[in-house]
């Protein structure tokens, strides 16, 4: 199979010489032990050492690095905090990692215009902290928000609990500054409600570092609601919880957050955070309401009525801010909590239409038997975004391979149920084969042409996000070989 | 009209290198650059394909009139939250291709914010499915949203899936007597507070403000704003339709300019300013006293841009409807255009004279 690695051949010494001329010594790492911390992102199953790590401090340096790499034909992988879960920031063996960690300044918070201009290495939570004195905040709140950066959020179009009501990253970015692989600087979007020409902002957001390197981000800030309260409901059947989600939406309510955990997930988190979850329940729902006190009271009473009608076995409403945070603590800590009960876990990220929730969960239960691995489910129920946590032990032979196959099957089922292979973590290296399942050859060709319009030589993050058609053909054959070709209508060649 | 007919027309045009002018309701013939090419009428490719109220999406063919879609949504208490203008004739395809939103854009977001997926026929007659029917999908580049506002230059939007939202439970309109500067200052101040403002419109010394949301929230906001700032509650329904459809007298004139600006841009003090919408972010200038170059420069200096929205054809040809792009961006636009429409047969010159 053609791989990205054998397409590029870099002269390591020549590259180091050129980079030394651009960057001061403290901004350039070339020794193996210094490179080690950069060998993977949050998806630790895939690792690679780059030839060098650049830590530029100015946009001019970014321009010089990219221009030089373009000249030398060297791959470049941009990196934020490295919390990505799809291997998007995994280095290229023949390339450079361009860490934006030192671009960590908040340049401007404009109270009246309700926006902030920040460098891409600024952490997500830091933006809300800087806006707090003005009664404003940045709405998209990935669970990793204390660590992940705005640059990474833009590249992954990250989501979070608030995204059901307040939108994803793409709905909350006004403008970005970008450096192309050829070292050209341009700005996309504006502080005005729209900008002339094609909506390149939509194209760049979620493009996984494949189209350009972001050096500045202007984000929208929204007024902090006066009050937030959460309703916690438990159900004795997962299907009922799924129907309750649909009933809330059907009642015309868009909560500020609507999250679900199944029994294995609550069992894992309760001893860890002591949130008071109903451990006998098959699933619990957390439904947040925010706004003015009058608004919240009205919504909470309507939500409670809907949940009761949907057959909730127990309903509790947070009576204080401390209690609200405690109800959420379990959901927010679900990943580390599961991490305590298993040596390793593999976090998936598919989306499905909400009405297929029960079906998906039943299928996952069957897969647990098939692959002989346990799985806990936490998800953004309001937008059908699942995060099955497949538990495995990397030290036991064969377990990772089974976990990987388990994950792939979940993603492929997501597509079949009318959903997508990723809702917020991106394709990266992880889901590259499943891209062949979600898209036909024709769409993949369009993606390749878009890529070429920005980066003709394919130097930015090669091998990620969009599979080569060659790779899809191989993946297709692999499935035929196992006699389980799932999408016979898809074109192959 | 079936998808296969659309594809056949496109393949035929590509084979003959024949420019096509995509048109549905024709309600937007006034908008954008020159109209050129053989007419490709897509209005007969119509009908709602799927509507799932609890999944919050509707999928329809491009020629479906917006009124038909909105009527279906209203039956389930839902709406197109970007509140597009329509005049009875506008279609879904034209609405997304033009990318123009109405008064509620200030609160809800623009057309692109609600596009979840598209079926696209590109300039070679190839049919593509981008995005889908779920709220979150980050697999591959977001081509669906790229197409919002592309004015038919990248392909025919054969089918579109939009996110829909529940209609607000309550809605009330207030009217204030305020000059331009004072109105702008207040709009920006209110924008930073947790107030359920869903539309604003200032013209000729009057500011109209619409509040939408939960019953209790609207009632308390109305009481507070009336008390503190002297707003009068008025029946706003007809007013907001006249703003959405631009039948309000503020939009009348031989030329109508649309200026998208940062909301905090101070009063422009232009002779003939027609109206301000979207909390200060959208300003309409109806008149021909100020030269195009001056308007474009003023908008750019403020960090925004100016569109020659409605004007006699001679002026549109001379000035171009849209603000020129910076050279690196224009180069990118050309390459993108080429990747969807290698022969350049789709709506040539409608967006920019260069492609
Ligand atoms: C415990 C945990 C919980 C998480 N929860 C969520 C969640 O709720 N929602 C969610 O969406 N994600 C979540 N994530 C995933 C991850 O945090 C996000 O994808 C985040 O946006 C990555 O940001 P980062 O700064 O760490 O980026 P990195 O991992 O460093 O990079 C991610 C991608 O962005 C590119 N990139 C980074 N900076 C730039 C730049 N300046 N210009 C161009 N490209 C760039 C990289 O090349 C790479 O492709 C979680 C991760 C963890 C570990
Ligand atoms: C007199 C009048 C005044 C109006 N004034 C305003 C106004 O001031 N502000 C406002 O916002 N709206 C205005 N409109 C509303 C306008 O009707 C809508 O914006 C509408 O969305 C246009 O839709 P259409 O189907 O009529 O598009 P058309 O006029 O047929 O087409 C509009 C554009 O979309 C392209 N297009 C159409 N269908 C497709 C498709 N399926 N795929 C790809 N491209 C396609 C066309 O090539 C063209 O570039 C006005 C309408 C009328 C009749």
């Amino acid at each position: 199979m053609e791989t990205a690695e054998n397409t590029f051949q870099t002269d390591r010494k020549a590259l180091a010489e050129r980079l030394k001329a651009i960057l001061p010594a403290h901004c350039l790492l070339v020794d193996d032990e210094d490179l080690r911390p950069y060998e993977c992102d949050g998806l630790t199953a895939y690792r690679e050492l780059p030839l060098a790590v650049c830590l530029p401090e100015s946009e001019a340096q970014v321009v010089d690095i990219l221009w030089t790499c373009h000249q030398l034909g060297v791959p470049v992988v941009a990196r934020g905090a490295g919390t990505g879960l799809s291997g998007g920031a995994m280095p290229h063996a023949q390339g450079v990692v361009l860490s934006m960690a030192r671009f960590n300044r908040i340049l401007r918070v404009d109270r009246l215009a309700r926006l902030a201009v920040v460098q891409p290495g600024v952490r997500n939570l830091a933006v809300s902290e800087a806006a707090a004195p003005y009664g404003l905040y940045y709405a998209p709140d990935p669970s990793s928000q204390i660590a992940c950066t705005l640059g990474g959020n833009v590249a992954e179009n990250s989501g979070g609990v608030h995204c059901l009501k307040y939108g994803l990253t793409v709905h909350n970015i006004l403008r970005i500054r970008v450096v192309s692989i050829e070292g050209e600087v341009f700005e996309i979007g504006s502080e005005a409600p729209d900008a002339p020409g094609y909506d390149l902002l939509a194209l760049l957001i979620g493009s996984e570092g494949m189209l350009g390197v972001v050096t500045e981000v202007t984000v929208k800030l929204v007024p902090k609601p006066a009050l937030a309260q959460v309703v916690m409901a438990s159900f004795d059947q997962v299907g009922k919880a799924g129907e309750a989600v649909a009933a809330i939406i059907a009642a015309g309510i868009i909560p500020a957050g609507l999250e679900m955990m199944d029994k294995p997930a609550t069992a894992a988190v309760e001893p860890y955070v002591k949130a008071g979850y109903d451990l006998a329940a098959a699933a619990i729902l957390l439904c947040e309401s925010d706004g003015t006190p009058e608004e919240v009271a009205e919504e909470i009473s309507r939500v409670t009525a809907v949940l009761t009608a949907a057959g909730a076995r127990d309903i509790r409403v947070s009576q204080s801010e401390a209690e609200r945070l405690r109800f959420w603590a379990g959901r927010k800590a679900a990943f580390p909590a599961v991490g305590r009960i298993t040596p390793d876990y593999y976090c998936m990220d598919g989306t499905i239409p909400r009405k297929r929730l029960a079906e998906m969960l039943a299928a996952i239960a069957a897969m647990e038997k098939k692959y002989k691995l346990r799985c806990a489910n936490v998800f953004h129920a309001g937008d059908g975004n699942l995060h099955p946590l497949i538990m495995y032990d990397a030290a036991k032979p064969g377990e990772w391979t089974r976990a990987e196959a388990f994950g792939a099957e979940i993603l492929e089922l997501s597509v079949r149920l009318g959903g997508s292979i990723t809702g917020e973590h991106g394709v990266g290296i992880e889901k590259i084969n499943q891209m062949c399942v979600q898209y036909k050859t024709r769409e993949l060709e369009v993606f390749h042409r878009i890529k070429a319009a920005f980066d003709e030589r394919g130097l930015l993050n090669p091998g990620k996000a969009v599979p080569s058609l060659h790779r899809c053909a191989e993946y297709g054959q692999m499935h035929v070989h196992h006699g389980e070709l799932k999408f016979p209508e898809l074109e192959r060649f | 009209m079936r998808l296969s007919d659309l594809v056949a027309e496109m393949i035929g045009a590509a084979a003959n290198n024949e420019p096509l002018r995509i048109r549905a309701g024709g309600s937007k013939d006034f908008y954008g650059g020159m109209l050129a090419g053989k007419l490709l009428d897509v209005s007969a490719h119509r009908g709602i394909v799927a509507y799932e109220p609890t999944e919050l999406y509707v999928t329809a063919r491009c020629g479906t009139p917006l009124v038909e879609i909105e009527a279906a949504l209203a039956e389930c208490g839902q709406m197109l939250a970007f509140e597009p203008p329509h005049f009875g004739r506008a279609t879904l395809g034209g609405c997304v291709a033009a990318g123009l939103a109405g008064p509620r854009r200030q609160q809800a977001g623009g057309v692109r914010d609600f596009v979840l997926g598209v079926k696209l026929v590109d300039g070679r007659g190839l049919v593509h499915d981008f995005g889908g029917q779920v709220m979150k999908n980050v697999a591959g580049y977001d081509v669906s949203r790229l197409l919002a506002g592309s004015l038919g230059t990248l392909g025919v939007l054969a089918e579109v899936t939009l996110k829909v939202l529940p209609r607000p439970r309550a809605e009330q309109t207030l009217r204030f007597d305020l000059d331009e500067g004072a109105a702008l200052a207040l709009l920006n101040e209110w924008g930073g507070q947790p107030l359920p403002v869903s539309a604003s419109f200032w013209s000729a010394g009057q500011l109209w403000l619409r509040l939408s949301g939960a019953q209790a929230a609207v009632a308390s906001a109305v009481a507070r704003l009336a008390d503190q700032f002297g707003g009068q509650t008025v029946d706003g329904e007809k007013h907001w339709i006249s703003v959405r459809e631009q039948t309000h007298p503020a939009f009348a004139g031989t030329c109508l300019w649309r200026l998208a600006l940062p909301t905090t841009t101070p009063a422009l003090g232009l002779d003939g300013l027609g109206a301000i919408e979207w909390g200060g972010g959208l300003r309409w200038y109806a008149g021909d006293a100020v030269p195009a170059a001056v308007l474009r420069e003023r908008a750019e200096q403020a960090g925004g841009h100016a569109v020659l929205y409605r004007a006699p054809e001679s002026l549109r040809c001379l000035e171009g409807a849209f603000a020129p792009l910076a050279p690196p961006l224009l180069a990118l636009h050309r390459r993108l255009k080429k990747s969807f429409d290698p022969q350049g047969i789709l709506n040539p010159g409608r967006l920019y004279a260069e492609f």
Side-chain angles (χ1 to χ4, degrees):
Chain A
M1 193 173 83
E2 181 202 353
T3 61
E5 288 78 73
N6 54 31
T7 328
F8 301 98
Q9 277 308 326
T10 305
D11 179 340
R12 186 173 192 159
K13 263 176 97 179
L15 172 69
E17 285 313 311
R18 293 285 293 267
L19 293 176
K20 270 181 202 155
I22 298 170
L23 294 167
H26 70 281
C27 295
L28 180 64
L29 311 175
V30 289
D31 297 332
D32 277 3
E33 71 259 35
D34 296 331
L35 300 176
R36 194 68 63 193
Y38 295 88
E39 68 181 351
C40 66
D41 62 9
L43 181 65
T44 53
Y46 298 94
R47 291 166 197 266
E48 191 76 80
L49 273 191
L51 297 181
V53 174
C54 299
L55 295 141
E57 292 170 321
S58 71
E59 188 181 81
Q61 288 171 345
V62 174
V63 167
D64 285 349
I65 293 165
L66 289 172
W67 185 81
T68 302
C69 288
H70 182 252
Q71 253 200 340
L72 300 178
V74 174
V76 180
V77 180
R79 181 182 172 102
T83 68
L85 290 172
S86 57
M90 185 187 81
H92 191 287
Q94 293 295 315
V96 163
V97 165
L98 183 61
S99 166
M100 299 303 283
R102 300 223 166 116
F103 279 68
N104 59 2
R105 277 182 305 133
I106 294 175
L107 303 174
R108 180 155 77 88
V109 178
D110 189 330
R111 177 187 73 87
L112 261 193
R114 288 149 276 142
L115 57 84
V117 183
V118 308
Q119 292 187 323
V122 168
R123 293 171 307 110
N124 175 295
L125 190 61
V127 181
S128 289
E129 283 167 356
Y134 308 111
L136 302 169
Y137 77 114
Y138 176 62
D141 54 346
S143 309
S144 52
Q145 68 180 154
I146 33 168
C148 67
T149 68
L150 256 296
N153 292 173
V154 167
E156 303 287 11
N157 190 14
S158 296
V161 167
H162 276 127
C163 291
L164 177 61
K165 183 165 170 183
Y166 297 97
L168 307 166
T169 301
V170 70
H171 302 113
N172 289 279
I173 300 291
L174 296 170
R175 190 189 60 114
I176 54 176
R177 234 175 119 83
V178 183
V179 185
S180 78
I181 184 67
E182 291 169 53
E184 207 161 25
V185 181
F186 51 90
E187 291 201 355
I188 298 178
S190 96
E191 291 181 17
D194 44 44
Y198 296 142
D199 194 338
L200 298 182
L201 205 50
L203 199 57
L204 263 290
I205 294 173
S207 64
E208 306 195 28
M210 304 275 293
L211 304 181
V213 175
V214 177
T215 54
E216 198 178 285
V217 188
T218 303
V219 304
K220 201 158 91 180
L221 301 174
V222 290
K224 230 183 153 130
L227 179 70
Q229 231 177 335
V230 63
V231 182
M232 179 164 79
S234 56
F235 293 85
D236 48 23
Q237 281 168 27
V238 170
K240 274 197 205 162
E243 281 158 26
V245 170
I248 290 172
I249 306 284
I253 303 166
I254 306 291
L258 184 52
E259 303 277 312
M260 181 165 161
M261 286 192 278
D262 71 358
K263 197 171 186 170
T266 45
V269 300
E270 183 57 25
Y272 186 50
V273 296
K274 306 202 171 39
Y277 294 156
D278 177 353
L279 290 174
I284 66 161
L285 270 186
L286 292 166
C287 179
E288 179 150 295
S289 175
D290 70 7
T292 60
E294 304 91 328
E295 212 173 352
V296 172
E298 186 177 318
E299 193 168 283
I300 294 272
S301 81
R302 295 180 60 221
V303 163
T304 310
V306 173
L307 290 169
T308 308
R313 47 180 266 153
D314 187 29
I315 295 176
R316 283 162 61 191
V317 181
S318 66
Q319 296 304 323
S320 65
E321 185 60 9
E323 190 172 30
R324 182 183 77 89
L325 294 176
R326 195 164 69 244
F327 284 179
W328 276 117
R331 168 63 187 90
K332 297 251 176 192
F335 292 11
V338 168
R340 285 190 350 147
I341 59 168
T342 172
D344 301 279
Y345 68 85
Y346 182 32
C347 171
M348 296 315 296
D349 163 47
T351 57
I352 54 167
R354 281 176 285 252
K355 65 176 175 206
R356 315 298 288 267
L357 262 175
E359 206 175 324
M360 176 54 112
L361 290 173
I364 291 178
M367 289 179 218
E368 290 188 85
K369 295 205 180 75
K370 174 172 166 189
Y371 294 104
K372 299 191 180 62
L373 292 173
R374 287 179 304 150
C375 180
N377 285 289
V378 295
F379 41 106
H380 307 301
D383 34 42
N385 188 187
L386 313 160
H387 287 319
L389 300 171
I390 302 167
M391 298 174 237
Y392 71 101
D393 183 351
K396 289 195 184 138
E399 284 215 354
W400 163 242
T401 318
R402 292 209 310 274
E404 213 182 5
F406 191 156
E409 191 170 338
I410 292 174
L411 296 183
E412 289 169 29
L413 181 59
S414 302
V415 175
R416 214 168 35 196
L417 294 179
S420 164
I421 58 169
T422 169
E424 55 183 20
H425 295 168
V427 173
I429 188 77
E430 177 197 27
K431 306 177 190 99
I432 195 107
N433 287 332
Q434 281 70 42
M435 279 292 278
C436 312
V437 176
Q438 183 161 345
Y439 289 103
K440 298 186 289 285
T441 306
R442 286 198 292 267
E443 285 103 31
L444 293 174
E445 273 171 354
V446 171
F447 292 153
H448 282 293
R449 276 195 224 103
I450 290 173
K451 166 75 170 167
F454 285 83
D455 173 18
E456 209 181 343
R457 301 175 68 180
L459 296 172
L460 281 171
N461 219 358
K464 311 283 176 61
V466 183
S468 69
L469 300 177
H470 191 88
R471 187 175 182 118
C472 286
E474 297 255 328
Y475 189 63
Q477 277 155 17
M478 193 173 83
H479 273 239
V480 178
H481 172 71
H482 289 293
E484 48 183 31
L485 180 63
K486 288 211 195 80
F487 298 89
E489 74 281 10
L490 291 188
E491 281 169 45
R492 275 159 232 267
F493 54 97
Chain B
M1 187 190 218
R2 287 185 320 206
L3 182 62
S4 54
D5 302 329
L6 253 177
V7 170
E9 293 226 34
M10 192 67 87
I11 290 175
N16 300 327
N17 236 328
E18 182 173 36
L20 288 176
R21 174 185 157 205
I22 309 161
R23 188 172 192 258
S27 63
K28 297 297 281 186
D29 283 355
F30 71 89
Y31 186 63
M34 60 183 183
L35 307 176
K38 182 183 140 197
L39 194 69
L40 173 59
D41 185 345
V42 299
S43 57
H45 188 58
R46 59 186 282 179
I48 295 176
V49 177
Y51 170 36
E52 296 259 11
T54 62
E55 302 286 334
L56 297 178
Y57 76 80
V58 62
T59 303
R61 296 190 191 94
C62 58
T64 317
L66 287 181
V67 278
E68 193 175 316
I69 296 173
E70 288 176 339
L73 301 184
E75 271 182 37
C76 295
Q78 296 186 332
M79 62 175 183
L80 296 177
F82 52 92
E83 210 174 4
H86 41 80
F87 293 88
R89 283 199 304 168
T91 62
L92 177 61
C95 158
V96 174
L100 291 166
R104 206 181 299 271
R105 190 231 175 280
Q106 152 172 21
Q107 181 193 46
V111 181
R112 56 91 89 165
D113 293 308
F114 291 87
V115 177
L116 296 178
V118 298
K119 192 183 279 299
L120 181 81
V121 184
D122 75 8
R124 293 157 300 175
L126 295 177
V127 182
H128 308 275
D129 285 299
F130 293 108
Q133 296 174 323
V134 285
M135 295 302 129
K136 283 162 98 184
N137 175 3
V138 294
Y141 305 123
D142 194 346
V143 177
S144 320
R145 288 194 178 95
L146 169 74
L147 294 169
S150 63
L151 271 177
T153 57
L154 298 176
V156 174
L157 298 153
E159 214 173 276
V160 180
T161 299
L162 293 178
K163 176 180 176 175
V164 299
L165 282 180
R167 280 163 174 271
R169 310 253 299 163
E171 208 146 74
Q172 283 230 340
T173 297
L174 284 171
R175 196 180 58 210
F176 306 81
D177 289 321
L178 287 168
D179 68 24
E180 190 184 352
L184 281 169
L186 277 180
L187 284 171
N188 279 293
E189 203 57 60
W190 291 335
Q193 296 170 15
L195 282 168
V197 175
S198 69
S200 62
F201 177 82
W202 178 89
S203 180
Q206 289 195 326
L207 175 67
W208 298 66
L209 200 68
R210 186 175 65 189
L211 300 128
S212 314
Q215 207 93 44
V218 171
S220 78
V222 164
R224 204 192 104 197
L225 293 172
D227 185 46
Q228 275 183 25
F229 304 97
Q232 304 272 313
T233 48
V234 289
D235 179 3
E237 198 162 336
K238 282 209 189 80
H239 171 77
W240 295 112
I241 292 177
S242 79
V243 172
R244 187 188 80 192
E245 305 298 340
Q246 302 197 323
T247 51
H248 190 282
F251 299 100
T254 37
C255 285
L256 181 63
W257 284 85
R258 175 190 189 275
L259 279 68
L261 304 174
T263 57
T264 45
T265 309
L268 291 177
L270 292 173
D271 192 18
L273 175 81
I276 300 176
E277 285 190 77
W278 300 357
L282 185 61
R283 317 229 179 146
W284 297 96
Y285 170 73
D288 46 17
V290 185
V294 173
L295 272 164
R296 288 240 149 94
E297 202 186 300
R298 292 287 297 275
E300 201 182 323
Q301 275 169 357
H305 67 109
V307 176
L308 182 50
Y309 192 78
R310 202 194 307 266
E313 197 153 1
S314 55
L315 189 65
R316 269 205 284 166
C317 290
L318 189 71
E319 300 294 345
F322 302 102
L325 297 168
L329 286 180
L330 179 62
L332 265 176
H333 274 67
R334 278 192 157 125
R335 293 200 290 271
L336 284 170
K337 164 77 174 171
K338 200 149 192 175
S339 65
F340 284 88
D341 177 21
Q343 284 157 274
I345 57 169
L346 298 174
N347 276 359
R350 184 86 193 249
L351 190 59
Y352 284 101
E354 289 90 343
F355 56 83

